[in-house]
């Protein structure tokens, strides 16, 4: 009986939170089935850190300590992951559906001709054979349960935030590290990273942010976006935006939340001056707690919101920022 | 340069989606169907590359007769030629089945560049592009936000992920999936629509493609839908009205004590 294998992403020498969330869920599934969890991670220095993955549920970590794998290169990673799946005999391979997971998983599934379920908000292994997931479709207008027909082996990607982060649930457990070596995966690797640009004002990874403060057309003018930035800074969150303001050129597209932006599931989503159009809701309706500030009590965003303030954002937001600063410094 | 854009017809993002009584499909009778929004960015990019470098642009889809309307929309925008695989025995597969059909058709067409949208807004898998690249053995880049040519056969592709811009080098032939920020899709002009009337929609004969309906069609599905439901209802929210001096501290209290998110 094969184990569950989790692909662990690393960036800047730390394991990605989303990968650890998946690892914890993998351990729960494995415990139910009397199986083990293996992990695979790559990049320079990863084998030293790999034993720490025991604290998130990994029994064995297959670690490739090679600087050539510090950056994601699709074809090389596909070959490597598929080799580890074969050599270790995994029944279920899980990835977090980050930018990398979304890119890597379908390619591996095509190479190995395996069933792949994507973007799980929930994942289960109810019977002996089949994996099933629940996911959002049609911009959140439908939730669907998908099931594998063939397999094992199976593959699935799990949305960041689907299983909220818990710090070291298996504290004290160290994973056994099994060293991997490269086997020519980088040869003819195809698309290769040549540069990375970090935006001014730091990185925003909306998908991984616990708190997001998004601004919409209610802000009236680009310079007023600073209200959103100030609130985000006070509350320790990232800045999002509606499409209306992205299209108006007030903020770059990478901040856009929604059907044609990023889909996010933070613990707290604050929508400031956003009407709540269906395409915006598509990207944030799986947030755990939604707060809306809007002067129009009929704005559709209030139907989705857990908490709302009806009022002029120019009056509300500065006071909110101040109050948050107060409670945070207390 | 021969550029193929793989497109999909999907319900418009405005459409009211209703679940059928069988609980595993959606009511398609009156749905407004459009070209998947990200595929429109792929179409626009193909048109811009042709304008800059010359060549031929082809829109390709797998679908039923209905999907020809989506191809027609691409022709109206300026795509040169449309092709469709619409054999009923090949319908009903999962994304891997679709990727296999597209791969077989693309091997015949033999393009230099294959463009797709990063995701289709119906099933939301983001999977066909990378799967297709693997089946064709080509390099790929997903969620592209900018293309810059290095020379006639290689290019730099930017993608915005995790708050940074990654720049990747890619040589043709290759597969690229488009993000919305890549460009601003054009509207079809009247002249374009008139010109498109003469453009063919070619049905690809599947016999030469070597496809087995038991692999790529409904019978070959590796994943399927067990049930569909409306989204889980959210508990009725608390909406605070009044002076900000009162509503804001109350909101902060609720977020700390009730929702426990601060
Ligand atoms: C194919 C397609 C894809 C799309 N994808 C996306 C997407 O990914 N993301 C997205 O966001 N949209 C998307 N849209 C656009 C979407 O339909 C809406 O147009 C957009 O979300 C509206 O943005 P908004 O809420 O900022 O602006 P508006 O709809 O103009 O709303 C502004 C809101 O601000 C409020 N307001 C105004 N002044 C104040 C004030 N002083 N104080 C408090 N409140 C105030 C108003 O009451 C109003 O509710 C898409 C549309 C299409 C057709």
């Amino acid at each position: 009986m094969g184990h569950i294998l989790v692909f662990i992403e690393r960036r800047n020498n730390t394991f990605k939170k989303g990968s650890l969330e998946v690892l914890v869920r993998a351990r729960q599934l494995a415990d139910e089935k009397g199986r083990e969890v293996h992990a695979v991670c790559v990049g320079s220095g990863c084998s030293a850190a790999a034993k720490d993955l025991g604290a998130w549920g990994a029994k064995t970590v297959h670690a490739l300590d090679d600087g050539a794998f510090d950056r994601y290169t699709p074809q090389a990673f596909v070959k490597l992951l598929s080799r580890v799946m074969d050599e270790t005999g995994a029944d279920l391979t899980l990835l977090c559906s980050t930018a990398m997971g979304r890119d890597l998983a379908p390619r591996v599934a095509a190479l190995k001709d395996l069933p792949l379920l994507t973007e799980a908000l929930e994942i289960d292994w109810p019977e002996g054979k089949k994996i099933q997931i629940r996911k959002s479709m049609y911009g959140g207008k439908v939730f669907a349960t998908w099931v594998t027909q063939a397999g094992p082996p199976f593959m699935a990607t799990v949305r960041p935030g689907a299983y909220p982060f818990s710090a070291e649930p298996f504290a004290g457990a160290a994973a056994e590290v099994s060293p991997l070596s490269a086997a020519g995966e980088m040869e003819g690797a195809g698309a290769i990273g040549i540069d990375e640009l970090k935006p001014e004002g730091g990185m925003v990874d909306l998908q991984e942010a616990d708190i997001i403060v998004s601004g919409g057309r209610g802000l009236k003018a680009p310079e007023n976006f600073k209200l959103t930035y100030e609130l985000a800074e006070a509350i320790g969150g990232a800045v999002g935006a509606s499409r209306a303001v992205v299209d108006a050129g007030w903020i770059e597209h990478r901040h856009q939340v929604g059907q044609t932006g990023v889909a996010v599931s933070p613990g707290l989503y604050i929508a400031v001056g956003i009407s709540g159009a269906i395409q915006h809701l598509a990207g944030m309706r799986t947030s755990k707690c939604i707060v809306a500030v809007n002067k129009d009590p009929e704005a559709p965003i209030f139907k989705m919101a857990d908490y709302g303030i009806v009022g002029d954002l120019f009056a509300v937001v500065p006071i909110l920022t101040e109050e948050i600063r107060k409670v945070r410094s207390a | 340069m021969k550029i193929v854009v793989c497109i999909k017809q999907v319900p418009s993002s405005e459409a009211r989606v209703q679940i059928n009584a069988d609980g595993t499909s959606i009511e398609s009778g009156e749905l407004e169907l459009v070209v998947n929004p990200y595929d429109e960015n792929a179409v626009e990019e193909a048109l811009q590359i042709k304008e800059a470098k010359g060549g031929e642009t082809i829109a390709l889809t797998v679908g039923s007769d209905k999907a020809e309307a989506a191809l027609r929309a691409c022709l109206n925008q300026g795509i040169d030629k449309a092709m469709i695989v619409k054999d009923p025995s090949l319908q009903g597969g999962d994304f891997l089945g679709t990727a296999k059909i597209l791969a077989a058709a693309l091997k015949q067409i033999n393009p230099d560049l294959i463009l797709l949208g990063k995701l289709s807004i119906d099933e939301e898998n983001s999977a066909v592009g990378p799967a297709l690249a693997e089946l064709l053995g080509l390099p790929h880049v997903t969620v592209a936000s900018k293309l810059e040519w290095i020379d006639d056969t290689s290019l730099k592709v930017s993608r915005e992920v995790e708050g940074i811009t990654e720049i990747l080098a890619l040589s043709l032939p290759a597969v690229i999936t488009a993000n919305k920020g890549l460009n601003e899709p054009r509207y079809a002009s009247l002249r374009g629509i008139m010109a498109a009337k003469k453009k063919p929609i070619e049905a690809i004969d599947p016999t030469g493609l070597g496809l087995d309906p038991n692999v790529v069609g409904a019978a070959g599905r590796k994943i399927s839908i067990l049930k569909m439901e409306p989204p889980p209802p959210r508990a009725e929210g608390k909406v605070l009205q009044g002076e900000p001096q009162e509503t804001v501290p109350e909101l902060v209290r609720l977020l700390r004590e009730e929702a426990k998110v601060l």
Side-chain angles (χ1 to χ4, degrees):
Chain A
M1 210 167 40
H3 56 273
I4 302 179
L5 181 69
V6 182
F7 180 82
I8 303 289
E9 250 181 81
R10 268 166 100 240
R11 210 180 245 281
N12 305 322
N13 293 319
T14 47
F15 298 121
K16 286 210 92 169
K17 201 174 73 176
S19 294
L20 299 177
E21 293 166 0
V22 176
L23 189 53
V24 173
R25 180 63 188 146
R27 172 65 178 263
Q28 293 164 348
L29 291 172
D31 284 351
E32 284 169 24
K33 299 270 163 195
R35 295 177 188 233
E36 285 177 0
V37 175
H38 290 217
V40 50
C41 71
V42 301
S44 45
C46 74
S47 62
K51 62 177 188 325
D52 299 346
L53 292 173
W56 278 276
K59 175 92 182 339
T60 307
V61 184
H62 308 275
L64 175 61
D65 240 341
D66 183 340
F69 288 82
D70 284 345
R71 218 196 251 271
Y72 175 59
T73 306
Q75 282 163 296
F77 276 57
V78 167
K79 282 189 219 154
L80 180 84
L81 177 56
S82 124
R83 174 160 67 93
V84 176
M85 287 162 71
D86 285 343
E87 285 177 1
T88 68
D91 264 358
L92 171 60
T93 300
L94 297 177
L95 297 91
C96 186
S97 62
T98 54
M100 191 198 290
R102 283 192 188 135
D103 193 286
L104 176 57
R107 205 164 167 144
V108 173
L111 172 65
K112 298 177 63 61
D113 205 30
L114 297 183
L116 165 67
L117 299 167
T118 69
E119 305 289 325
L121 295 170
E122 287 168 33
I123 177 160
D124 282 298
W125 196 341
E127 309 158 36
K129 290 188 82 171
K130 291 173 180 171
I131 298 294
Q132 80 183 38
I133 63 152
R134 223 160 99 84
K135 71 179 280 188
S136 156
M137 285 170 54
Y138 298 97
K141 286 178 245 178
V142 170
F143 272 59
T145 304
W146 284 76
V147 63
T148 50
Q149 298 289 92
F154 324 95
M155 297 181 70
T157 67
V158 180
R159 274 254 171 107
Y163 292 95
F165 188 71
S166 45
E168 305 200 2
F170 305 97
E176 197 179 298
V177 181
S178 157
L180 271 175
S181 41
E185 281 88 5
M186 279 293 163
E187 283 159 34
I192 296 173
I194 49 179
D195 217 344
E196 265 180 23
L197 302 177
K198 302 208 167 51
E200 286 170 44
M203 291 178 30
V204 263
D205 185 349
L206 284 178
Q207 271 211 315
E208 288 224 336
D210 276 329
I211 300 181
I212 297 174
V213 180
S214 280
R217 189 146 55 191
L219 285 160
K220 299 277 188 314
E223 57 274 18
N224 297 331
F225 236 92
K226 70 171 190 297
L227 290 175
T228 320
Y229 277 104
E230 283 163 3
L231 175 54
E233 201 190 318
I235 206 165
V239 171
S242 72
R243 174 166 172 176
V245 298
V246 170
D247 285 357
W250 299 0
I251 191 166
E252 289 153 64
H253 176 254
R254 63 194 162 85
H255 293 271
Q256 184 182 317
V257 172
Q259 191 150 52
T260 48
V262 262
V264 297
S265 304
L268 175 60
Y269 187 88
I270 306 182
V272 174
I274 292 180
S275 58
I278 195 150
Q279 297 92 351
H280 189 81
L281 301 181
M284 45 63 83
R285 67 193 306 160
T286 53
S287 306
K288 311 291 172 300
C289 178
I290 298 173
V291 172
V293 179
N294 198 304
K295 68 175 182 191
D296 173 10
E298 303 297 319
I301 190 80
F302 285 123
K303 294 211 175 63
M304 190 63 55
D306 299 285
Y307 303 100
I309 290 188
V310 178
D312 183 349
L313 70 88
F314 294 98
V316 172
V317 174
I319 301 176
L320 182 56
T321 304
E322 215 30 61
E323 284 290 319
I324 301 264
R325 281 198 187 117
K326 262 196 256 165
V327 302
R328 283 225 142 192
S329 62
Chain B
M1 170 119 31
K2 195 191 267 187
I3 308 166
V4 174
V5 189
C6 302
I7 64 140
K8 185 175 189 186
Q9 188 181 48
V10 297
S12 112
S13 68
E14 307 279 348
R16 271 196 58 203
V17 174
Q18 297 214 28
I19 300 165
N20 279 327
D22 68 4
T24 61
S25 61
I26 60 155
E27 167 61 45
S28 56
E30 310 215 317
L31 276 183
E32 187 203 345
L33 298 170
V34 298
V35 177
N36 180 47
Y38 296 104
D39 302 354
E40 294 203 321
N41 296 99
V43 166
E44 175 61 35
E45 200 62 25
L47 294 172
Q48 288 186 14
I49 296 170
K50 183 189 165 175
E51 282 157 10
K53 295 188 151 297
E56 186 187 20
T57 55
I58 300 171
L60 169 67
T61 197
V62 179
S64 61
D65 290 337
K66 255 190 190 171
E68 291 188 2
L71 290 173
R72 187 56 65 191
C74 299
L75 294 174
N76 288 345
Q77 278 176 305
I79 292 286
D80 299 316
K81 181 175 161 186
M83 303 177 92
I84 181 166
V85 182
K86 60 175 179 181
D87 190 276
S89 76
L90 304 178
Q91 310 270 319
D94 57 21
F95 76 79
L96 197 47
T98 304
K100 285 174 183 169
I101 299 171
L102 289 172
L106 285 159
K107 275 185 193 146
Q108 270 191 0
I109 303 169
N110 197 23
D112 301 292
L113 180 60
I114 299 159
L115 295 168
L116 305 86
K118 74 159 184 186
L119 165 145
S120 67
I121 66 167
D122 49 3
E123 291 189 356
E124 301 189 11
N125 285 319
S126 314
V128 173
L132 183 59
E134 184 59 41
L135 296 170
L136 293 170
L138 298 179
H140 83 271
V141 175
T142 52
V143 250
S145 55
K146 191 171 165 193
L147 306 188
E148 284 172 288
W149 292 89
I150 299 168
D151 53 44
D152 280 345
T153 57
S154 60
L155 66 173
K156 282 198 285 187
V157 185
S158 307
R159 60 198 297 259
E160 283 160 19
V161 290
E162 294 159 1
I164 59 170
T165 305
E166 282 183 357
I167 303 172
L168 296 111
L170 195 62
S171 43
L172 301 185
V175 177
I176 295 173
T177 77
N179 200 359
K180 181 215 155 211
L182 183 60
N183 51 43
E184 196 59 58
R186 68 193 66 188
Y187 289 102
S189 66
L190 189 59
R191 231 178 83 207
I193 296 169
M194 295 310 288
K197 288 207 160 90
K198 292 197 276 301
K199 294 179 188 168
I201 292 180
E202 184 184 312
I204 297 178
D205 177 5
T207 45
L209 298 180
L211 292 166
D212 179 352
N214 291 316
V215 173
V216 299
R221 296 190 73 99
K222 295 178 190 297
I223 57 172
S224 58
I225 294 176
L226 202 61
K227 70 171 188 270
M228 283 182 161
E229 297 156 287
R234 291 190 82 97
E236 175 111 20
K238 286 190 182 147
V239 179
L240 310 170
Q241 308 231 22
E243 290 305 312
Q245 285 77 3
E246 281 142 32
T247 54
V248 173
E250 174 62 3
L251 172 70
V252 172
R253 188 190 69 77
L254 288 166
L255 292 179
R256 296 187 77 191
E257 292 171 16
E258 196 175 86
K260 300 191 167 52
V261 288
L262 284 185

